[in-house]
Amino acid sequence: MTVAVAHHASELSERVLAEAVREAERRHTELVLVNVTDSLDLDKRDALEAGIGDVVSKASRATDVAWRIELVAGSTDIAEAILDAVERLGAEVLIIGSRRRSPMAKAFLGSVTQQLILEATVPVLVVKNY
């Protein structure tokens, strides 16, 4: 089985990755970082792997977690792309980050986080920004 983490570079991403590593260790399984991007560029993959590798190594000092990146290209519906990847990977849990939104933003703007929570067919662990 697999632990999937929806990855997006932000101030919250290191905390989300650290939690994903702990969950993969706890479940004794692989960690797959799902990154939705505009193109499947090898340079982008290499840059992501270099940056993320340091975070994963730091978070998994006790054990070596097997991990990889799943790039998903060209989607305008980010939540749908992530959900499709989770299903394709056979993930047993999805880990996502959440940031605060104002009441106005909640009322008028769609939320990828909200859509993932409501539509995922696997448990969703939300790491919130505090």
Side-chain angles (χ1 to χ4, degrees):
M1 297 301 279
T2 298
V3 169
V5 59
H7 180 265
H8 174 70
S10 70
E11 72 276 356
L12 181 60
S13 62
E14 190 167 328
R15 183 177 300 127
V16 174
L17 284 175
E19 190 60 42
V21 167
R22 281 191 290 277
E23 192 65 22
E25 286 175 337
R26 188 178 75 75
R27 294 172 182 261
H28 305 287
T29 191
E30 172 189 43
L31 174 63
V32 179
L33 291 84
V34 178
N35 186 280
V36 180
T37 183
D38 53 355
S39 66
L40 295 177
D41 183 351
L42 291 178
D43 290 337
K44 186 175 284 191
R45 176 185 292 278
D46 291 345
L48 275 170
E49 284 179 355
I52 291 169
D54 292 338
V55 175
V56 172
S57 294
K58 188 168 92 174
S60 65
R61 289 188 177 134
T63 61
D64 287 329
V65 171
W67 66 277
R68 63 186 172 91
I69 295 174
E70 177 82 13
L71 287 180
V72 180
S75 179
T76 55
D77 188 340
I78 294 170
E80 185 178 314
I82 292 169
L83 292 170
D84 288 347
V86 166
E87 188 171 324
R88 187 175 60 254
L89 293 166
E92 59 187 283
V93 65
L94 171 62
I95 300 174
I96 60 175
S98 177
R99 58 183 164 76
R100 295 193 72 163
R101 293 185 304 149
S102 69
M104 186 66 84
K106 289 178 186 175
F108 292 110
L109 299 176
S111 167
V112 171
T113 300
Q114 184 176 1
Q115 187 176 351
L116 291 172
I117 292 168
L118 293 173
E119 296 181 16
T121 58
V122 297
V124 179
L125 182 108
V126 180
V127 179
K128 80 177 204 177
N129 192 7
Y130 50 84

